[in-house]
Amino acid sequence: LPMQSLWMLLASLLFACTLTALLGCATQAPPPPMLSKGQQQEAIDHLKRFINQEMRKAQTQGLSVAIVSDQTIVWEQGFGWANSEKQLPANEQTLYRAGSISKLLTDLGALQLAALGQLNLDAPVRQVLPLFSPSAPDGKAYPITPRMLMTHHGGLPRDVLKGFMSRQPPPFSDVINQLNAIGADDIPMRSFSYSNAGISVLGAVMTQTTGQPFEPWMRQSVLLPLEMPDSVFETRPSTNEKMAQGYIQGQLATEPGLRDIPAGGLTSSVHDLSNFIRMVFADGRFKDKQILPAVWMKSMLTPQNTDVPLDAGFRVGLGWMLSSLSNDTPRGLG
């Protein structure tokens, strides 16, 4: 594989796993032994051995991987079981809860609205949601913009735990009232502060702007144009027969419902998500469709926080971390 593709295996976030896979995902593979350019199959064989090794160590039930190089899915494969009781093996079509990868798709939808002139990224959110007015620690309710929400610089808390996960979670718009009650953690644009709640506020802005419920609008505007037919934003894990069964230490586990759908409610497969990455590589174009104008696609990968001293050189685009404490590989805000 070209070096860019190997690094983008990580950057693309095309790595989905069941609940017990989290520990396995945290272990980084050692570099393949002395592989040169063009030894694609050798690199894949090395990854297969490493993945199986780490799955055994972490007692992972199932896992799926895809590698994308430009517009080609170089390799996609499942390992272990999507459902061990039913003896259903994991494959590239197996559906998983995608977690914070959801934010990238939500941000893409917001940028579609911005490209159409329907959403101003730098106008205060309260112009769209007049009731949104959380106070900072100094007692002032500072203007917070969609751009701040997308780059996690709104000063909002990471989560609003009341109602975050439950059997019957409230609508994600409920976050607005709760944020007004508990307030912000900091003044906007002082520093990077990751916030699931902030992305739910962005989802509420999008819903108010489009006049449509978030989930079906995202399906029509983002998921279907990207040919992600099995992907869906939803409160609870999908009932689709392709959905992976969750496990904790080998025992069946059921994920509760999630309120913050825009921040973490995407269900998808590595095959579907590969199409999203193909669009990123093609400057917002997927096959014959321009999903997002190239200039807006470029903005996703352009640093937005160069004038924030407390970020200390950490760079973030619109939905993408462009650097980290350990390397300079772009990755989604997850």
Side-chain angles (χ1 to χ4, degrees):
L1 285 174
M3 183 59 68
Q4 179 189 20
S5 297
L6 284 172
W7 283 119
M8 289 310 297
L9 167 63
L10 302 176
S12 301
L13 299 173
L14 298 179
F15 192 93
C17 43
T18 55
L19 296 178
T20 52
L22 296 177
L23 290 176
C25 293
T27 304
Q28 293 187 1
M34 299 302 292
L35 293 182
S36 59
K37 185 177 180 179
Q39 292 185 281
Q40 176 176 302
Q41 190 56 52
E42 289 82 355
I44 291 174
D45 290 341
H46 171 78
L47 281 172
K48 290 179 181 178
R49 290 191 296 270
F50 178 75
I51 288 168
N52 282 314
Q53 167 192 308
E54 293 303 299
M55 288 180 68
R56 288 192 297 271
K57 287 168 58 177
Q59 298 183 340
T60 301
Q61 293 288 327
L63 175 153
S64 299
V65 177
I67 297 177
V68 177
S69 178
D70 193 12
Q71 299 305 293
T72 302
I73 300 176
V74 175
W75 173 54
E76 53 184 353
Q77 183 175 332
F79 295 81
W81 300 105
N83 188 313
S84 60
E85 284 69 37
K86 296 181 179 180
Q87 296 290 284
L88 297 176
N91 58 38
E92 68 277 5
Q93 303 285 354
T94 299
L95 296 173
Y96 303 88
R97 293 291 265 174
S100 283
I101 299 174
S102 310
K103 295 177 175 65
L104 290 172
L105 281 296
T106 295
D107 291 338
L108 173 61
L111 289 177
Q112 287 180 331
L113 295 174
L116 292 171
Q118 298 178 19
L119 177 63
N120 184 341
L121 297 187
D122 298 307
V125 165
R126 64 175 66 125
Q127 288 188 8
V128 181
L129 303 173
L131 297 181
F132 178 69
S133 188
S135 297
D138 63 3
K140 297 180 181 179
Y142 292 89
I144 297 174
T145 68
R147 189 184 302 274
M148 294 174 187
L149 298 175
M150 296 170 74
T151 62
H152 298 260
H153 280 79
L156 299 176
R158 179 184 179 95
D159 294 303
V160 175
L161 293 180
K162 183 179 179 181
F164 183 69
M165 297 189 83
S166 64
R167 291 186 177 181
Q168 297 294 330
F172 63 81
S173 58
D174 189 61
V175 166
I176 294 169
N177 291 330
Q178 294 199 52
L179 286 172
N180 288 343
I182 65 178
D185 285 347
D186 201 356
I187 296 171
M189 295 304 295
R190 189 194 295 271
S191 65
F192 175 86
S193 182
Y194 189 88
S195 178
N196 288 307
I199 300 300
S200 284
V201 174
L202 179 66
V205 170
M206 295 165 64
T207 298
Q208 183 66 25
T209 300
T210 63
Q212 300 179 44
F214 179 81
E215 297 92 328
W217 186 87
M218 285 293 295
R219 181 167 180 79
Q220 290 299 320
S221 297
V222 175
L223 300 177
L224 291 182
L226 284 172
E227 297 182 13
M228 300 172 65
D230 291 328
S231 299
V232 60
F233 280 85
E234 55 190 351
T235 298
R236 303 185 63 82
S238 177
T239 57
N240 190 309
E241 62 182 7
K242 298 178 183 179
M243 186 71 193
Q245 169 63 51
Y247 298 88
I248 296 178
Q249 296 181 344
Q251 301 299 311
L252 290 173
T254 301
E255 181 182 334
L258 176 72
R259 178 196 59 212
D260 294 88
I261 295 173
L266 176 67
T267 295
S268 191
S269 67
V270 295
H271 181 80
D272 276 9
L273 285 170
S274 294
N275 290 345
F276 169 71
I277 293 302
R278 289 166 65 186
M279 181 215 67
V280 173
F281 288 162
D283 296 326
R285 191 171 186 83
F286 178 70
K287 295 185 177 180
D288 61 345
K289 301 183 289 288
Q290 194 71 39
I291 307 298
L292 186 68
V295 64
W296 287 96
M297 186 69 250
K298 183 179 179 180
S299 71
M300 292 193 82
L301 298 170
T302 299
Q304 305 288 313
N305 60 329
T306 55
D307 58 349
V308 182
L310 290 181
D311 283 354
F314 169 78
R315 295 293 175 251
V316 57
L318 294 172
W320 289 87
M321 285 191 290
L322 304 178
S323 65
S324 71
L325 296 177
S326 59
N327 60 63
D328 293 325
T329 302
R331 58 194 178 104
L333 284 168

